[in-house]
């Protein structure tokens, strides 16, 4: 396993994060009160969401790590992770292909320096790293060993198949994971962007003794509903799969920071936001504005809260570029949307 040397600054950071967790937790009927927190003061956090039948229960918001080592430096990534942990976040999502493995390396270094491995649930994906492409037994074995090394952990909490592999029988892939689970290297598995037909095939194979998918991740938000609602959602519900939708804020559009084309960035993110700048997008933002004002939160908070209200969703996945943006995401778990507000959002985004 990878070893990380703790610097004096890292030690101070670790102590600060540990202090943020040093608070009495009082159970309430609908949520939990954390009476002292150096980052935000007293906060209320929701009860935890179960990730299928994995036995894992977490705060219902996953921090996406795709920007770590790519658009965020090592230090900036640490700052985001510190904020996330300090406000009660527990679930981190990454992949071996994110920044060619640098995302996993940064997360691993942070876990070691802050001493938070036992408090955090780490999900990663295999299948798209240049050195371990596809879902063959050999690729999966190599990918998992490499991820464990980069993350500096002994076991991956949730390993996702990063897309389907038409060239490898699913039975072989699941058989390889079965051996990795038996070896103690993987705790549970999930499927990323799998078709309903493939998920049904996987369930049949699980009935014959192979490992069963417990979670699925797919693009889903107020602006992108059609790809998931319908057959994928029905299959997820029927199989009891915990859904972790990524692009929770539609590439940042639902944060409301860009309302006109003149405000667009000239990069890939700007291009993703641009496709939503039509009548439908403006209609959705208008409803988000009204509801956010009513609750005294941001539009991003309401967009995530809408996802959390969906019956199959366990924890949306969202990334940030600055530590202060974490607050709005985690706040969604404590927002109780009224039925009339959900209807308004559904109509505006239909």
């Amino acid at each position: 396993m990878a070893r990380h040397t703790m610097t004096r600054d890292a030690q101070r950071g670790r102590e600060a994060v540990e202090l943020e967790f040093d608070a009495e937790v009082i159970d309430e009927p609908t949520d939990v009160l954390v009476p002292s927190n150096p980052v935000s003061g007293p906060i209320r956090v929701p009860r935890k969401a179960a990730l299928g039948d994995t036995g894992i229960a977490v705060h219902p918001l996953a921090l996406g790590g795709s920007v770590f080592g790519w658009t965020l430096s090592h230090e900036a990534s640490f700052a985001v992770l510190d904020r996330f942990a300090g406000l009660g976040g527990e679930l981190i999502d990454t992949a071996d292909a994110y920044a060619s493995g640098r995302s996993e390396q940064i997360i691993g270094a942070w876990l070691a320096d802050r001493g938070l491995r036992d408090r955090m649930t780490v999900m990663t994906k295999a299948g798209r790293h240049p050195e371990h492409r596809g879902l063959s037994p050999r690729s999966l074995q190599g990918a998992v060993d490499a991820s464990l090394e980069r993350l500096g952990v002994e076991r991956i909490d949730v390993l996702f198949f990063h897309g389907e592999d038409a060239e490898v029988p699913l039975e072989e892939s699941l058989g390889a994971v079965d051996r990795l689970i038996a070896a103690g290297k993987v705790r549970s598995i999930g499927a990323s962007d799998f078709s309903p037909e493939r998920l049904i095939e996987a369930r049949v194979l699980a009935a014959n003794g192979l490992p069963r998918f417990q979670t699925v991740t797919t693009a889903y938000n107020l602006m992108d509903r059609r790809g998931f609602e319908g057959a994928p959602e029905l299959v997820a519900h029927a199989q009891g799969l915990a859904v972790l939708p990524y692009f929770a804020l539609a590439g940042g559009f639902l944060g409301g920071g860009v309302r006109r084309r003149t405000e667009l960035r000239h990069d890939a993110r700007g291009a993703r936001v641009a496709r939503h700048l039509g009548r439908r997008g403006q209609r959705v933002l208008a409803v988000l504005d009204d509801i956010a004002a009513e609750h005294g939160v941001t539009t991003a908070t309401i967009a995530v809260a809408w996802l959390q209200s969906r019956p199959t969703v366990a924890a949306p996945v969202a990334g940030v570029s600055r530590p202060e943006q974490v607050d709005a995401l985690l706040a969604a778990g404590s927002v109780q949307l009224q039925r009339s507000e959900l209807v308004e959002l559904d109509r505006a985004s239909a």
Side-chain angles (χ1 to χ4, degrees):
M1 295 297 166
R3 296 183 181 274
H4 305 283
T5 301
M6 186 176 293
T7 64
R8 183 175 299 176
D9 288 342
Q11 176 66 33
R12 286 198 295 266
R14 172 177 179 168
E15 291 171 352
V17 173
E18 286 178 343
L19 282 173
E20 290 161 7
F21 281 92
D22 188 17
E24 179 185 3
V25 175
I26 303 173
D27 287 337
E28 298 250 325
T30 59
D31 57 14
V32 175
L33 176 65
V34 180
S36 62
N37 188 303
V39 172
S40 66
I43 58 174
R44 303 187 75 84
V45 297
R47 293 190 182 278
K48 298 182 178 182
L51 300 184
D53 294 328
T54 62
I56 300 171
V58 293
H59 185 291
L61 188 285
L63 180 66
S66 63
V67 296
F68 299 157
W70 178 39
T71 58
L72 288 191
S73 67
H74 185 279
E75 293 75 15
S77 300
F78 267 43
V80 167
L81 286 161
D82 283 345
R83 187 78 172 185
F84 180 69
L87 290 174
E90 300 171 287
L91 183 61
I92 303 173
D93 175 74
T94 185
D96 63 359
Y98 292 166
S100 297
R102 288 191 295 278
S103 174
E104 289 184 329
Q105 289 175 335
I106 288 172
I107 293 168
W110 177 80
L111 289 171
D113 289 346
R114 297 327 193 220
L116 292 177
R117 175 62 184 105
D118 292 339
R119 291 176 180 157
M120 309 306 291
T121 296
V122 180
M123 308 185 297
T124 193
K125 308 176 192 71
R128 294 185 184 175
H129 191 280
E131 297 178 5
H132 306 288
R133 289 195 180 278
L135 301 177
S136 69
R138 181 176 180 179
S139 290
L140 285 171
Q141 177 69 59
V144 166
D145 286 343
S147 288
L148 290 172
E149 179 70 19
R150 286 189 290 266
L151 289 166
V153 300
E154 296 182 352
R155 183 175 66 171
I156 295 168
D157 296 314
V158 184
L159 176 70
F160 281 93
F161 286 2
H162 206 171
E164 299 180 15
D165 187 342
E167 298 181 0
V168 178
L170 187 55
E171 184 175 6
E172 291 185 12
S173 303
L174 291 174
V177 169
D178 193 25
R179 293 187 288 275
L180 290 167
I181 292 173
K185 296 181 177 182
V186 173
R187 178 172 180 176
S188 62
I189 59 171
S192 176
D193 293 320
F194 268 43
S195 67
E197 293 77 15
R198 200 68 157 168
L199 290 174
I200 292 171
E201 178 187 356
R203 181 51 62 92
V204 172
L205 292 170
N208 291 320
L210 289 174
R212 180 165 72 89
F213 288 135
Q214 299 286 349
T215 55
V216 293
T217 182
T218 185
Y220 184 44
N221 54 66
L222 276 165
M223 298 304 300
D224 296 297
R225 297 177 56 181
R226 295 179 182 177
F228 174 68
E229 294 178 2
E233 186 175 26
L234 289 172
V235 170
H237 177 72
Q239 295 188 2
L241 298 171
V243 178
L244 299 104
Y246 61 84
F247 286 159
L249 297 180
F253 174 76
L254 296 173
V258 176
R259 307 278 177 144
R260 293 180 292 274
R261 293 191 178 275
T262 55
E263 300 170 339
L264 286 169
R265 293 165 46 172
H266 300 290
D267 56 14
R269 182 174 181 180
R272 288 195 296 269
V273 172
R275 69 187 185 93
H276 299 309
L277 285 175
R279 291 183 179 178
R280 177 169 172 264
Q282 296 299 337
R283 189 169 64 243
V284 170
L285 286 180
V287 175
L288 285 173
D289 286 339
D290 290 342
I291 298 175
E294 184 68 25
H295 289 269
V297 297
T298 68
T299 59
T301 299
I302 299 301
V304 173
W306 177 83
L307 278 173
Q308 291 171 335
S309 75
R310 312 305 284 181
T312 58
V313 171
V317 180
V320 301
S321 57
R322 301 188 305 275
E324 59 268 24
Q325 294 172 333
V326 173
D327 302 46
L329 299 179
L330 289 174
S334 298
V335 171
Q336 297 294 321
L337 293 176
Q338 302 298 315
R339 183 180 298 274
S340 60
E341 294 171 332
L342 292 172
V343 169
E344 287 184 66
L345 289 168
D346 287 344
R347 286 176 177 171
S349 61

